[in-house]
Amino acid sequence: MIDLDKLTIKTAHEHLMKGDFSAVDLVKTYLAEIEKKNPELNAYLEVYDDVLEQAKVADERISKGENHPLLGIPLAIKDNILVAGKKATSASKILEGFVAPYDSTVISKLKKQGAVFLGRTNMDEFALGSSTENSAYGVTKNPHDTSRVPGGTSGGSAAAVASDMTLGAIGSDTGGSLRLPAAFCGVVGMKPTYGGVSRYGLMAAVSSFDVIGSLGKTVEDAQILFEAIKGRDVLDSTSIDSDSLSKKQLIIGVPWDLINQEGIDLKVKENFKKVVKNLEKLGYKIKDIKLPNCLALYYIINFAEVSSNLARFDGVKYGLHIDGKNLLEDYVLTRGQGFGKEVRRRILLGTYVLSAGYYDAYYGKAQKARTALKKEFTEMFKEIDLVLTPTSPIPAWKIGEKSDPLSVYLADVFTVTANIVGLPAISIPSGFMELEGLPAQAGKKLPLGIQFMAPHSGEDLLFEVGKKFLNEVL
Amino acid sequence: MITKEEIKHLAQLARISVSEGEAEKMTSEIDSILEYVGQIKDISTENIEETPTLQNIMREDTVTHSPGEHTKAILSNAPSREGNYIKVKKIL
C-alpha cells in the first residue's frame, strides 16, 4: 500500500527511481482515491481514460534509465489549460464539447518530463470568481469542511491536492486564483512573475494579469513544478527567462495599516501576528510598510480585459451554438445562454468602463494608477525584500453564503496586488482556526494561509522563506 | 445611478441576451460594483503616463507547420460547417 498522506512529489520520485513502486501502482492508488472522494468533492470535471497508458509509458522510460523530477508523477490540470485531444471548457457551458487541438506549452514541457495527467479540474467559469461557485458544472467542496468553498478560481486543483486525489496540480492565477484556494485548502500555491511561465494554450481571462503556476503539498513540490514549466517561449511573446535573485539577510515588509482595517477576520489577524513573531524568531527583520487597497484598480482592469477577451466566444468557431433568426441573434442567444451569471456581469461591467463616456474616469484612470503602483513597489523593494500579508482576509466561507458579488470581490484584497504589479507570490499554510458557535461545527478546523510577495524574478526568495517557515529541509 | 435601460444597452453592445427580470436584478448589482470601483477617482495620478513601456517581440516569418496539419482538429470544433468551411448565416 502506498501511503498517500505522507507522499510528496519529491519522495514519490525517489521511490519511483528506486523501484519501490511503479508509476502504474502510483496512479492506480490515486485513481482509487478519486473514485472514492470525487463524487462528493467534485474537484475533477473529468478523469482521463488513458491514465494507465500514460503511467505505463513513464514506467518504460524509468526502466530505460531516464530520470526527471516529474517522470511518472500524477498531476491534475485546471480546465482552462489545453491538452491535445482532451476536452477543455474553462468550466463554461459555452465551451461544452470543445476538444483542444494542441498542447499548451506547459503541457508539452510536463510531457517531456513524463508527468502523468490524471484529469481536468473544476474552476470558476473562465477563471472569474474566488470560490469555484461560478463553475457551470457545480461547486467544488472544501475537503476540510464540505459545507464550505475551496476558494477559487483553481478550487478543483487545490481541493484535489488537499484530499490526496493528486500529488500536485497546475492552475492559473489572475488575481489570487492559485493562492486563495491554496490557503482555503491548506496547501502551497505559487504564482510566478508575470511572463515567467508561457501562457500558450491557456484560455485568456485578463491578459495583463494571467499567469500559470503550481499547487503542491510542500514548498519544494511547488518549486519542482515551477522549475519544470518556467521560461521564455517563442509562442508567447510576453514570456521571459527569469534570473534568480538571492540575498543573505531578508527584510520582510508588513502593511499593518491594511491588515488592521475593517473586514479582516479576528482569527486571521491573530494567526498572522503569531506568524510574524515566528519569522522574527527565525531571524527575519520585520518592517512596517504602507500598501494601498488595490481592489478598485484591479477590478476595473479585470472587467475591461474580460469583456474584450471573451468576445471570441460567439458560437461560430467552437463550443455551444444556439440558433436564432439571424446571425446577430445567434450571437446574442449563444452568449446569453452559454455564459454564466458572473461572466455576463463582468462583460457588461467591462463594456461600461471601456465605453467612450466613461473610459477616462475608469479604465484610463486605472491604467495610470497601475503605473503609479509599480513605481511605488520599485521604491519599496529598495528597503525590503519581501512583502507579507494573510492570503485572505477571511477563511473559507459557506457554499452559497455570499450572494452579493461585491462581497466576494473583497476576499481578493491581499492577492490582487501581485497581479497588478506582475510580482511573484506564494501562499503557504499557516495553521488552522477552530470553528465556534453551532454544535455541528464543533471540532472542525479551517486552514489559514499567509502570502509572500517578492520583486520580479524573485521566486527563489519565496521558496527559501517558505521552506524555512514550514521547516522543510533546505 | 445606472438604469435598467443602460444595462439593456450594454448587453446589446456586448451581444448578450438578458431577460427583463435579469436586467432588473443586474441594475442594482452593477450599480453597487460601479460605486465601489469608483473609488479609483480618488487616487492621485498627476504626471503619470497611462501606457506602460511596451516593446515589439519579433520572430522570423517562416513556415511553422505543413499545410492542413491542424485543419481537421480545428474544424471539428465548429458547431456548423460545410466541407472545410465554417458555416454562418448570411449577413447581408
Side-chain angles (χ1 to χ4, degrees):
Chain A
M1 251 329 262
I2 303 171
D3 181 6
L4 296 186
D5 183 43
K6 299 246 161 42
L7 205 64
T8 64
I9 292 177
K10 188 162 183 241
T11 57
H13 170 70
E14 288 162 5
H15 286 303
L16 285 167
M17 288 302 134
K18 273 194 277 177
D20 295 339
F21 49 70
S22 67
V24 169
D25 296 336
L26 184 61
V27 303
K28 272 188 183 162
T29 316
Y30 277 103
L31 289 175
E33 207 67 10
I34 293 170
E35 200 175 328
K36 201 165 72 190
K37 292 175 177 167
N38 198 57
E40 183 177 13
L41 295 178
N42 195 32
Y44 284 93
L45 293 177
E46 180 188 358
V47 177
Y48 296 143
D49 56 11
D50 62 350
V51 175
L52 285 176
E53 282 77 39
Q54 293 181 56
K56 271 179 206 156
V57 173
D59 279 332
E60 278 163 30
R61 289 174 65 176
I62 293 170
S63 68
K64 281 183 190 145
E66 273 194 59
N67 186 339
H68 310 287
L70 294 172
L71 183 53
I73 299 293
L75 298 176
I77 307 297
K78 190 175 181 178
D79 193 29
N80 59 353
I81 294 171
L82 303 192
V83 182
K86 307 283 189 203
K87 283 181 194 157
T89 69
S90 266
S92 179
K93 288 277 180 225
I94 210 161
L95 272 175
E96 209 159 56
F98 175 74
V99 176
Y102 61 91
D103 275 331
S104 51
T105 296
V106 290
I107 293 297
S108 307
K109 288 189 171 190
L110 294 170
K111 277 185 176 173
K112 262 188 206 133
Q113 284 218 14
V116 175
F117 308 123
L118 293 170
R120 55 189 175 96
T121 45
N122 203 5
M123 57 186 282
D124 285 296
E125 184 179 357
F126 286 110
L128 308 176
S130 310
S131 63
T132 316
E133 287 172 292
N134 295 334
S135 166
Y137 302 97
V139 67
T140 295
K141 290 173 180 168
N142 191 316
H144 292 269
D145 176 349
T146 52
S147 69
R148 290 175 190 269
V149 300
T153 63
S154 312
S157 293
V161 174
S163 59
D164 286 328
M165 290 198 283
T166 182
L167 257 177
I170 298 294
S172 63
D173 191 309
T174 305
S177 288
L178 284 159
R179 292 159 285 155
L180 201 72
F184 283 10
C185 292
V187 298
V188 176
M190 198 261 160
K191 171 219 176 288
T193 305
Y194 181 72
V197 175
S198 168
R199 297 179 296 178
Y200 178 70
L202 168 74
M203 293 187 203
V206 183
S207 302
S208 73
F209 295 154
D210 294 341
V211 61
I212 295 179
S214 57
L215 288 153
K217 289 201 266 189
T218 63
V219 173
E220 173 128 50
D221 281 2
Q223 182 176 10
I224 291 169
L225 288 169
F226 168 67
E227 299 288 341
I229 59 176
K230 71 175 186 182
R232 206 182 100 71
D233 172 19
V234 288
L235 298 171
D236 174 1
S237 63
T238 61
S239 65
I240 50 162
D241 275 323
S242 56
D243 322 308
S244 89
L245 293 180
S246 80
K247 276 249 175 143
K248 281 231 169 73
Q249 166 95 54
L250 295 181
I251 302 172
I252 299 173
V254 176
W256 285 113
D257 274 2
L258 200 60
I259 291 154
N260 284 324
Q261 71 182 352
E262 248 178 89
I264 317 290
D265 187 281
L266 283 178
K267 288 195 170 163
V268 169
K269 229 185 273 183
E270 213 175 277
N271 175 271
F272 185 75
K273 282 179 184 161
K274 262 191 228 162
V275 165
V276 172
K277 274 198 189 129
N278 284 344
L279 287 164
E280 276 175 328
K281 272 186 213 155
L282 288 170
Y284 292 100
K285 270 199 193 136
I286 308 288
K287 202 172 171 228
D288 189 11
I289 55 164
K290 297 266 176 293
L291 215 60
N293 178 327
C294 303
L295 282 173
L297 159 55
Y298 171 82
Y299 273 100
I300 290 169
I301 294 174
N302 180 300
F303 301 151
E305 292 196 33
V306 163
S307 76
S308 157
N309 268 330
L310 299 193
R312 74 192 64 180
F313 299 100
D314 55 7
V316 171
K317 299 179 287 296
Y318 31 63
L320 181 78
H321 173 90
I322 310 262
D323 221 33
K325 287 198 294 285
N326 49 45
L327 187 63
L328 179 65
E329 216 181 89
D330 285 4
Y331 293 153
V332 167
L333 292 176
T334 300
R335 290 165 61 80
Q337 292 174 40
F339 288 133
K341 224 192 278 174
E342 179 64 15
V343 176
R344 294 201 301 272
R345 195 153 46 218
R346 291 202 197 188
I347 291 173
L348 295 199
L349 280 156
T351 308
Y352 182 89
V353 300
L354 289 174
S355 56
Y358 301 104
Y359 180 95
D360 288 336
Y362 290 96
Y363 187 71
K365 181 85 180 182
Q367 287 292 52
K368 282 185 185 172
R370 183 178 193 179
T371 308
L373 187 70
K374 283 184 182 170
K375 280 190 182 147
E376 252 177 77
F377 266 91
T378 310
E379 287 306 307
M380 205 190 315
F381 279 129
K382 287 177 185 164
E383 311 278 320
I384 56 164
D385 306 299
L386 295 166
V387 175
L388 173 67
T389 67
T391 307
S392 167
I394 48 174
W397 57 86
K398 291 247 179 198
I399 292 165
E401 182 185 338
K402 291 186 185 292
S403 54
D404 167 27
L406 187 58
S407 69
V408 177
Y409 296 176
L410 301 181
D412 299 341
V413 63
F414 296 122
T415 49
V416 295
T417 315
N419 299 78
I420 299 170
V421 186
L423 306 172
I426 195 166
S427 176
I428 293 166
S430 63
F432 290 84
M433 62 172 264
E434 305 256 353
L435 285 171
E436 287 158 7
L438 302 168
Q441 293 183 339
K444 273 192 184 161
K445 285 190 202 167
L446 295 180
L448 297 174
I450 50 161
Q451 171 191 239
F452 288 101
M453 286 184 263
H456 293 110
S457 297
E459 281 85 355
D460 287 350
L461 301 181
L462 300 176
F463 296 135
E464 186 193 316
V465 72
K467 285 180 196 172
K468 254 196 186 163
F469 179 74
L470 288 183
N471 206 12
E472 288 180 25
V473 185
L474 285 175
Chain B
M1 269 303 274
I2 196 159
T3 63
K4 194 168 96 179
E5 291 316 307
E6 282 175 286
I7 295 290
K8 280 155 83 177
H9 179 59
L10 287 173
Q12 203 186 349
L13 290 173
R15 305 281 188 258
I16 287 178
S17 61
V18 284
S19 67
E20 277 295 313
E22 198 186 4
E24 184 90 45
K25 190 156 183 284
M26 269 198 178
T27 305
S28 66
E29 285 167 350
I30 286 189
D31 198 58
S32 68
I33 293 168
L34 283 175
E35 197 194 316
Y36 184 83
V37 299
Q39 292 173 21
I40 196 83
K41 290 167 192 150
D42 305 331
I43 298 177
S44 158
T45 50
E46 258 177 84
N47 307 321
I48 303 252
E49 293 291 317
E50 181 188 329
T51 33
T53 346
L54 299 173
Q55 50 177 339
N56 284 324
I57 307 283
M58 313 293 267
R59 63 164 173 82
E60 287 303 309
D61 187 15
T62 52
V63 179
T64 54
H65 55 84
S66 53
E69 192 183 331
H70 303 293
T71 311
K72 200 178 153 216
I74 291 170
L75 278 178
S76 61
N77 274 310
S80 178
R81 58 188 276 207
E82 207 171 285
N84 273 354
Y85 294 96
I86 286 175
K87 205 169 156 186
V88 290
K89 293 199 174 74
K90 66 175 183 191
I91 298 169
L92 292 173

